[in-house]
Amino acid sequence: LYTIYTLKHRYWVADDLLHWDQEINKCYTDMLALRNAVEQARKRNDYVTVDTRQARLEIAETRLSLARDKISKLHKTAKYNKVWE
């Protein structure tokens, strides 16, 4: 989809698509790392770290769902506008 928008000279939409894709990757990576950190902290009974990482994990999950919704809207808009033709 990024390539199609670039070929059709709709660079602003392509950049938006790229931005949300990068945001999804960043939030997903953060989420995996934070889950691992929470697991390790629970094993060590370090509840201060669990509390701080748990809050950051919830933020990362929320940001991930928002980014997924945004990129889903971009795909639906492209499908509705028949960008591929």
Side-chain angles (χ1 to χ4, degrees):
L1 189 58
Y2 175 81
T3 305
I4 293 169
Y5 278 129
T6 304
L7 290 174
K8 295 200 178 229
H9 302 289
R10 297 187 66 192
Y11 301 114
W12 61 94
V13 182
D15 288 341
D16 201 28
L17 195 71
L18 184 63
H19 166 73
W20 289 113
D21 185 52
Q22 289 173 345
E23 184 72 19
I24 286 173
N25 289 333
K26 185 177 88 169
C27 290
Y28 184 73
T29 305
D30 287 347
M31 197 175 67
L32 291 178
L34 289 168
R35 279 185 185 163
N36 188 28
V38 167
E39 263 182 47
Q40 296 300 320
R42 281 192 179 135
K43 287 179 184 176
R44 292 188 315 262
N45 293 329
D46 186 5
Y47 297 111
V48 174
T49 303
V50 170
D51 288 341
T52 57
R53 300 293 164 98
Q54 192 68 36
R56 289 174 57 195
L57 177 61
E58 290 173 7
I59 291 169
E61 288 173 345
T62 303
R63 289 177 63 197
L64 179 63
S65 69
L66 291 174
R68 282 183 176 164
D69 289 344
K70 192 70 170 176
I71 208 163
S72 175
K73 287 178 186 177
L74 287 170
H75 281 280
K76 286 180 184 177
T77 302
K79 185 176 179 181
Y80 178 76
N81 292 332
K82 298 181 182 176
V83 174
W84 292 273
E85 294 176 356

